[in-house]
Amino acid sequence: MSTSRGHALTVGLLLTTTVLALTACTPSSQSTPSSNGSTLVIADGADTTEMNPQTSLYDSSWRIEDMVYDSLVTTDDKSDILPSLAESWIQDGNSYVFTLRDGVKFSNGRALTADDVVGSLQMLLDPATGSYWASQLGPVTAITAVNDKTVRIDLSAPYTPFLAALASTSAAILPMKEYQDGTFDPSTEMLGTGPFVVDSHTQDQEWQFSANPGYWGAADMDVKAVTLKIVPDDSARIAGLRNGSVDIAYFANPDAPTLLNGVQNVETTVQGSSDTYWLILNAANPDSPFADKAQRQALATAINRDGLIDTALAGAGEATGISPATLPGSCSPDSLPTYDADPAAATNILDGSAAASFNLMAPPYLTSFKPIAQYLQQDAQAAGFNATIETPEMGDYVDRVYTQNPADFDAVIDYFAGYLSPAMAPANAVVIPGETSEFSGFAVETPGLADALAAATSATDTASETAALQTACELVAENAFIIPLATKSTTIGVRTDRVDGTIPAFDGYDIYLRNITTYALKG
């Protein structure tokens, strides 16, 4: 699948379909330490086989890589951009000048230089690297080292999401000296300036991390070791929290707050994100009923997003257009075409034609997809549609939706990353005739969308950006091969008798423990 449009294809996708194999970070021990006052124990549902932050596609990869790597800037739960490796920066027209923090070292002891920053970002932008994130950095024309502590990045035009894109783990700074002399391979090992180093990894079982003594913020860190357990089953993660063998656990299941209710010493946080559930309709395959635009618009009009959130998502999330509603400046879904939640209006759109019968695919990798499908089935039925739910095997789902061209499905529920700036996610929906993309098998062009997004990303004032985003949302809603439904939330359970720390209320890049360096262990 091409990544030329900067997609984050099903970023929560379980990596059982990935055939990459790690050749480094082999485990030194098979034992797993229990909570004993010295090690923070985390349980997550999915592992990764991706090691290189520049080419990683999945949020499970980003969370692990964030333990080891730093980027020039970072973010907080309000989507504000904060210093990281760059202690400050100045914007001068379409140029940015970053001053690097003093005392930064890679975990091998070598000091970070401007050459590492320049080389990392140049490699990220190099088409030979194959990084889908390259397109998110915008119209970069030059990256230069002014001196050993200063880096200048020039753009050919204003680009609003630029700093937000630099805050991603995908834009992490790598040790370029070691990469160039062949002693470091980012595809098989991790070597960064971040708070932890990898001690061992047993695929689909656990990671062992220890604190990086050379980390620039090491003096303020209390956590000296982390065990990340891979525990696919929700009930097993809940049991770990209950019996104290796990300190923090991550849940994608919308029912997790209810399931965790009453577990002694466990506090739950429902963390918002810019990830968005989409209903994707196959508009490109002539055998699909949704090659007919009126059928797409009618189905979109029948959906009650607020009811879906309350019923299928346990009240967590916000109704949204293609620009995630949880990001500042995003469009308002209330005024969008085909957002009426009105079966009668859907019937009027069809203008005497019968509503279609179709298969609705609920992929197997998220528990939330099945209840979403069941709710959509009811809304569709109220407008005269007949939806049959299917849950294919993982490989079959990927092949039919994202590999075959034309794609072999009628409708599928999926979710996509929204990132940190409201114009970044809508870029996934841009389809250029004759250009291959990950959507080629099911998408049709949305005239005017590329221009609206270009206006949003080049806007020099908030009002112009918001107006352009509103236009983009309206165009996608009217074309309706993508039907944005609601933003996605996750639940984090924390043993408060073991951990002193606050889970951020929101994270645009799904780094649910982004502030782990501020946590303290009790006992």
Side-chain angles (χ1 to χ4, degrees):
M1 286 171 287
S2 167
T3 58
S4 61
R5 303 311 305 166
H7 82 299
L9 172 60
T10 53
V11 290
L13 193 121
L14 295 182
L15 296 173
T16 53
T17 59
T18 306
V19 296
L20 299 175
L22 300 183
T23 58
C25 295
T26 52
S28 58
S29 170
Q30 298 296 319
S31 63
T32 300
S34 60
S35 295
N36 57 13
S38 62
T39 299
L40 179 66
V41 181
I42 304 167
D44 203 326
D47 201 358
T48 182
T49 56
E50 300 178 313
M51 301 285 277
N52 186 345
Q54 293 194 344
T55 57
S56 294
L57 293 175
Y58 306 106
D59 57 354
S60 55
S61 307
W62 304 340
R63 293 194 287 268
I64 291 168
E65 291 158 357
D66 189 70
M67 303 275 284
V68 176
Y69 289 104
D70 276 328
S71 302
L72 281 176
V73 295
T74 187
T75 182
D76 64 9
D77 61 0
K78 297 179 179 61
S79 299
D80 292 332
I81 304 298
L82 304 177
S84 186
L85 292 181
E87 66 178 3
S88 63
W89 57 91
I90 298 172
Q91 182 178 358
D92 179 14
N94 297 331
S95 298
Y96 294 78
V97 179
F98 297 89
T99 300
L100 302 183
R101 188 183 298 274
D102 288 331
V104 177
K105 296 180 180 180
F106 291 98
S107 58
N108 64 358
R110 183 178 66 79
L112 171 78
T113 70
D115 289 340
D116 293 302
V117 177
V118 172
S120 294
L121 296 180
Q122 287 177 339
M123 185 165 68
L124 175 64
L125 293 171
D126 185 347
T129 301
S131 173
Y132 87 97
W133 201 249
S135 65
Q136 293 288 2
L137 290 183
V140 174
T141 57
I143 307 171
T144 54
V146 177
N147 55 49
D148 204 42
K149 303 296 292 184
T150 311
V151 173
R152 178 186 177 96
I153 304 178
D154 298 311
L155 284 68
S156 62
Y159 186 66
T160 307
F162 178 63
L163 290 175
L166 286 181
S168 169
T169 307
S170 298
I173 303 306
L174 307 180
M176 293 307 295
K177 177 181 180 297
E178 290 76 2
Y179 174 76
Q180 291 163 353
D181 66 23
T183 60
F184 166 69
D185 181 356
S187 67
T188 61
E189 58 188 319
M190 296 189 194
L191 175 59
T193 58
F196 296 95
V197 297
V198 177
D199 293 331
S200 66
H201 175 218
T202 304
Q203 185 65 42
D204 296 324
Q205 293 185 36
E206 72 175 35
W207 293 74
Q208 296 279 359
F209 300 89
S210 60
N212 174 10
Y215 175 56
W216 53 267
D220 298 323
M221 283 179 55
D222 180 76
V223 176
K224 303 303 181 186
V226 175
T227 295
L228 175 61
K229 297 181 177 182
I230 309 303
V231 185
D233 184 66
D234 283 358
S235 61
R237 271 173 275 139
I238 293 172
L241 286 171
R242 181 178 288 111
N243 65 29
S245 61
V246 169
D247 302 318
I248 299 175
Y250 171 89
F251 300 89
N253 186 344
D255 292 326
T258 300
L259 298 173
L260 289 167
N261 187 34
V263 178
Q264 189 173 9
N265 296 317
V266 171
E267 179 176 280
T268 61
T269 299
V270 177
Q271 186 179 73
S273 78
S274 57
D275 294 351
T276 302
Y277 292 110
W278 289 0
L279 175 62
I280 300 173
L281 305 181
N282 192 343
N285 190 330
D287 293 333
S288 165
F290 298 115
D292 182 347
K293 185 176 180 178
Q295 294 283 346
R296 302 197 303 267
Q297 291 177 330
L299 180 59
T301 300
I303 297 170
N304 184 333
R305 289 160 179 78
D306 291 333
L308 182 148
I309 292 167
D310 290 341
T311 303
L313 300 179
E318 298 183 36
T320 186
I322 196 169
S323 179
T326 47
L327 291 176
S330 286
C331 59
S332 170
D334 295 340
S335 61
L336 296 180
T338 70
Y339 276 55
D340 293 335
D342 185 348
T347 301
N348 291 336
I349 290 172
L350 291 173
D351 192 25
S353 298
S357 295
F358 65 95
N359 288 335
L360 175 57
M361 187 184 294
Y365 71 89
L366 276 189
T367 56
S368 53
F369 287 157
K370 191 65 174 286
I372 290 174
Q374 291 168 339
Y375 183 87
L376 292 176
Q377 184 183 44
Q378 295 176 7
D379 274 0
Q381 184 176 7
F385 290 91
N386 180 24
T388 301
I389 297 172
E390 61 169 327
T391 300
E393 295 294 325
M394 197 69 193
D396 188 37
Y397 145 72
V398 173
D399 178 59
R400 290 170 57 192
V401 176
Y402 295 107
T403 303
Q404 293 189 38
N405 193 347
D408 180 23
F409 72 95
D410 295 332
V412 63
I413 300 161
D414 223 324
Y415 90 90
F416 288 76
Y419 309 129
L420 201 60
S421 180
M424 296 171 80
N428 290 331
V430 175
V431 179
I432 300 175
E435 182 175 305
T436 301
S437 78
E438 60 277 5
F439 285 10
S440 294
F442 55 77
V444 290
E445 182 187 5
T446 302
L449 179 57
D451 290 340
L453 291 176
T457 58
S458 63
T460 56
D461 62 88
T462 302
S464 297
E465 179 186 14
T466 302
L469 286 170
Q470 184 69 25
T471 297
C473 288
E474 290 172 358
L475 290 170
V476 171
E478 193 273 337
N479 199 10
F481 82 85
I482 290 171
I483 304 176
L485 299 172
T487 58
K488 177 177 172 293
S489 300
T490 54
T491 298
I492 319 300
V494 179
R495 286 282 302 224
T496 56
D497 59 331
R498 278 274 301 148
V499 181
D500 183 6
T502 301
I503 301 295
F506 174 88
D507 195 273
Y509 287 124
D510 298 299
I511 312 298
Y512 63 91
L513 298 179
R514 185 180 293 275
N515 59 346
I516 190 173
T517 58
T518 67
Y519 293 0
L521 295 176
K522 300 178 181 179

